[in-house]
């Protein structure tokens, strides 16, 4: 039996065709039925136009697209012989703004997707306003981002080898206040304990210490027997050199080096989303992958007990909020405001180059590849995190999310597992 379901309450929408056998899901076909064509829109445009157009790929992870795009241009300039480097001040500002975007992404996912969908799955009636909580923390941290980026979404303040902002001491103090406010909310409402105590956890036995709304999620997963569902291939990969993340792949605990040249896209039938593989194998990207590659003690402890289950995946993403809040605070404390914001040589104009820009977006590794001929974009390729996690696979091996859903007892349970990957279909069909 095949049952079709349109999945909403994600970024965009997707169609899932579920195949059942003996009362359990045997296979899932994932389809993205609309086409946006951002890659084609870029063809023929001046190289710098990508810095304005690519942030429009997505309304929620647009900042990551901007940074991937500017990194692609910087990479191309360096390959073409330009002797320039990104000033530490500009690097720290980019890191801070990217961290802010990931934080607001993670919090919206927790409050607008995971909590309400989990309660719905378990038939729990709750009148709590999760949207208000999501809005408070996400808007607070986004205000800090906008101090440097000028606006959010669709910031375009990055330029090759620099940023266009030149923050004052007052700007930094303002941003520090907003980060402190975000930390206070996260401690009191989300986790119910101090940030330092949360980050110091190293054992599964520490989980009962967690309170707040996240503690509720962990309790519901455990008490309903859902802690072990949603396991996939137990393979992880991280490409973006940014924030406090490390590059590499893990299968499942042995971390090794990677080379982005082995990342390949291929079309999928009846879908505008392309498949993406590394050396012809499926890898999970995102917070769980980053935690595993960085060997975060608490993520490793959970993985040892629950493997790549839905519990480990959800925990890793909320835990990453704590890591990024702490990292953001340090970045502001050490920001050298009296140094240059940009190092781009004004007399150099490069009309022909190829470049690759990679960054870690909220959902995982994001790759931009650009080819410039006579000053114009002749080819542009965007490989997004959702492609990694939602590639269909073949008869030999199912895709990451599909593998996680196989064996589910109902469409509702499978749909919840699907949403644990935080799907972004608008990025996937660019």
């Amino acid at each position: 039996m095949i049952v079709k379901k349109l999945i909403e309450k994600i970024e965009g929408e997707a169609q899932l065709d579920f195949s059942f056998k003996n009362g359990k899901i045997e296979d899932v076909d994932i389809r993205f039925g609309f086409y946006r064509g951002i890659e084609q829109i870029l063809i023929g445009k001046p190289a710098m136009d990508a810095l304005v157009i690519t942030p429009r790929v997505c309304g929620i992870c647009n900042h990551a697209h901007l940074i991937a795009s500017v990194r692609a241009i910087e990479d191309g300039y360096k390959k073409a012989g330009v002797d320039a480097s990104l000033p530490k001040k500009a690097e720290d500002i980019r890191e801070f703004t990217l961290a802010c975007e990931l934080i607001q992404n993670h919090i919206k996912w927790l409050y607008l997707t995971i909590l309400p969908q989990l309660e719905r799955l378990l038939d729990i009636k709750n009148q709590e306003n999760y949207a208000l909580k999501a809005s408070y923390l996400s808007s607070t941290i986004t205000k800090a981002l906008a101090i440097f980026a000028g606006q959010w979404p669709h910031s375009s303040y990055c330029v090759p080898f620099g940023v266009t902002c030149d923050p004052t001491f007052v700007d930094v103090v303002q941003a520090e206040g907003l980060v402190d406010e975000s930390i206070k909310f996260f401690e009191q409402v989300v986790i119910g304990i101090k940030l330092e105590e949360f980050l110091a956890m190293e054992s599964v036995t520490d989980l009962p210490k967690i309170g707040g709304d996240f503690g509720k999620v962990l309790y519901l997963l455990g008490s309903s027997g859902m802690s072990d569902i949603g396991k996939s291939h137990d393979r992880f990969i991280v490409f973006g050199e940014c924030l406090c993340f490390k590059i590499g792949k893990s299968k499942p605990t042995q971390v090794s080096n990677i080379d982005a040249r082995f990342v390949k896209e291929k079309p999928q039938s009846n879908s505008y989303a392309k498949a993406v593989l590394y050396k012809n194998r499926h890898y999970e990207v995102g917070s769980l992958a980053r935690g595993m590659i960085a060997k975060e003690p608490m993520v490793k402890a959970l993985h040892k007990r629950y493997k790549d289950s839905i519990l480990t995946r959800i925990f890793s993403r909320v835990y990453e909020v704590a890591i990024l809040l702490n990292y953001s605070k340090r970045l502001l404390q050490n920001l050298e405001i009296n140094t240059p914001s940009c190092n781009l040589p004004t007399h150099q104009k490069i009309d022909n180059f190829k470049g690759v820009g990679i960054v870690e977006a909220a959902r995982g590794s994001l790759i931009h590849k650009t080819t410039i001929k006579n000053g114009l974009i002749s080819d542009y390729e965007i490989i997004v995190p959702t492609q990694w996690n939602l590639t269909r696979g073949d008869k030999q091996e199912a895709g990451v999310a599909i593998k996680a859903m196989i064996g589910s007892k109902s469409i509702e349970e499978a749909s919840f597992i699907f949403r644990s990957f935080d799907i972004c279909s608008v990025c996937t069909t660019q």
Side-chain angles (χ1 to χ4, degrees):
M1 178 178 68
I2 297 178
V3 179
K4 296 180 183 291
K5 183 174 177 61
L6 187 68
I7 304 292
E8 73 294 330
K9 294 190 182 297
I10 58 173
E11 186 71 4
E13 58 188 30
Q15 179 182 311
L16 271 58
D17 295 350
F18 295 99
S19 299
F20 283 84
K21 184 177 182 180
N22 298 326
K24 291 186 177 182
I25 291 174
E26 181 186 36
D27 194 16
V28 187
D29 186 14
I30 304 173
R31 303 185 185 193
F32 294 96
F34 62 91
Y35 173 67
R36 301 182 67 235
I38 300 294
E39 292 173 333
Q40 294 302 311
I41 290 171
L42 286 162
I43 304 300
K45 302 287 194 302
M48 296 300 173
D49 280 17
L51 302 179
V52 178
I53 295 173
T54 57
R56 270 72 183 174
V57 167
C58 181
I60 197 167
C61 53
N62 49 88
H63 202 72
H65 281 282
L66 169 64
I67 294 179
S69 183
V70 75
R71 283 185 169 189
I73 295 173
E74 289 167 348
D75 180 57
Y77 272 31
K78 288 180 179 179
K79 289 175 179 175
V82 173
D83 184 17
S85 61
L86 185 67
K88 186 178 186 307
K89 172 183 169 183
E91 181 180 359
D92 287 349
I93 290 173
R94 288 186 188 181
E95 290 273 282
F96 175 76
T97 53
L98 180 62
C100 290
E101 180 173 84
L102 265 68
I103 290 166
Q104 63 85 26
N105 258 274
H106 294 353
I107 289 299
K108 286 178 180 175
W109 168 80
L110 174 67
Y111 278 111
L112 301 180
T113 300
I114 294 301
L115 255 170
Q117 291 298 318
L118 179 57
E119 290 183 339
R120 182 180 177 184
L121 177 62
L122 299 177
D123 197 26
I124 296 173
K125 302 295 187 290
N126 193 334
Q127 299 301 316
E128 195 160 359
N129 193 337
Y130 291 135
L132 186 62
K133 293 181 177 181
S135 298
Y136 180 81
L137 182 47
S138 61
S139 64
T140 300
I141 201 67
T142 302
K143 288 175 186 175
L145 185 162
I147 289 172
F148 301 94
Q151 68 177 50
W152 190 92
H154 310 318
S155 312
S156 294
Y157 82 110
C158 292
V159 293
F161 305 106
V163 293
T164 60
C165 64
D166 199 12
T168 64
F169 177 74
V170 174
D171 291 329
V172 176
V173 170
Q174 225 181 344
E176 285 179 321
L178 291 165
V179 171
D180 287 340
E181 187 178 343
S182 299
I183 291 174
K184 183 178 178 181
F185 183 90
F186 185 74
E187 291 176 333
Q188 294 181 351
V189 179
V190 182
I191 58 174
I193 56 174
K194 288 293 184 181
L195 192 69
E196 295 79 10
E197 186 179 359
F198 186 51
L199 288 172
M201 289 181 176
E202 293 186 352
S203 170
V204 174
T205 58
D206 291 326
L207 289 179
K209 297 177 183 178
I210 301 171
D213 292 325
F214 185 42
K216 182 195 299 185
V217 171
L218 297 175
Y219 171 76
L220 291 175
L221 289 173
S223 61
S224 62
M226 295 177 63
S227 299
D228 284 299
I229 68 171
K231 294 177 182 176
S232 189
H233 296 296
D234 215 17
R235 292 197 296 265
F236 312 100
I237 202 161
V238 176
F239 285 95
E241 189 174 2
C242 59
L243 302 174
C244 34
F245 307 138
K246 296 181 179 179
I247 299 172
K249 61 181 174 71
S250 173
K251 302 189 298 181
T253 57
Q254 183 65 42
V255 176
S256 55
N257 296 329
I258 52 175
D259 187 336
R261 291 176 297 178
F262 294 106
V263 176
K264 301 296 181 185
E265 277 189 313
K266 62 180 182 180
Q268 299 183 112
S269 60
N270 300 317
S271 177
Y272 286 111
K274 294 178 182 177
V276 60
L277 302 167
Y278 181 77
K279 292 187 176 180
N280 295 315
R281 301 201 78 181
H282 299 282
Y283 286 85
E284 179 171 343
V285 299
S287 298
L288 174 53
R290 292 189 285 255
M292 290 296 293
I293 302 301
K295 297 185 178 180
E296 293 291 346
M298 192 58 189
V299 175
K300 295 283 286 183
L302 276 171
H303 178 267
K304 184 177 181 180
R305 166 62 181 84
Y306 297 102
K307 301 304 178 185
D308 57 339
S309 70
I310 197 168
L311 174 63
T312 316
R313 192 172 294 117
I314 291 173
F315 182 91
S316 298
R317 194 156 184 191
V318 179
Y319 190 75
E320 192 171 87
V321 174
I323 292 172
L324 293 172
L325 284 168
N326 194 44
Y327 181 63
S328 300
K329 193 171 177 67
R330 293 202 312 270
L331 283 170
L332 292 176
Q333 289 171 344
N334 298 315
L335 188 62
E336 299 173 358
I337 59 175
N338 295 320
T339 56
S341 294
C342 185
N343 277 341
L344 178 65
T346 55
H347 62 282
Q348 287 186 304
K349 184 181 178 183
I350 308 299
D351 288 331
N352 297 280
F353 62 85
K354 289 183 178 182
V356 179
I358 309 175
V359 72
E360 285 299 305
R363 295 159 182 82
S365 299
L366 171 66
I367 302 173
H368 282 221
K369 298 180 181 181
T370 185
T371 301
I372 308 299
K373 292 182 179 179
N374 299 320
L376 302 178
I377 298 171
S378 64
D379 187 50
Y380 208 98
E381 184 180 0
I382 303 173
I383 301 173
V384 303
T386 295
Q387 288 176 258
W388 288 98
N389 290 335
L390 264 65
T391 292
R392 282 186 192 148
D394 50 35
K395 292 180 180 179
Q396 283 70 44
E397 185 173 82
V400 173
I402 293 174
K403 170 71 172 174
M405 288 186 283
I406 290 174
S408 296
K409 295 173 287 188
S410 67
I411 290 177
E412 290 72 24
E413 182 179 279
S415 298
F416 184 70
I417 293 169
F418 181 75
R419 290 187 174 96
S420 73
F421 291 95
D422 195 16
I423 311 310
C424 184
S425 67
V426 294
C427 279
T428 307
T429 55
Q430 30 60 34

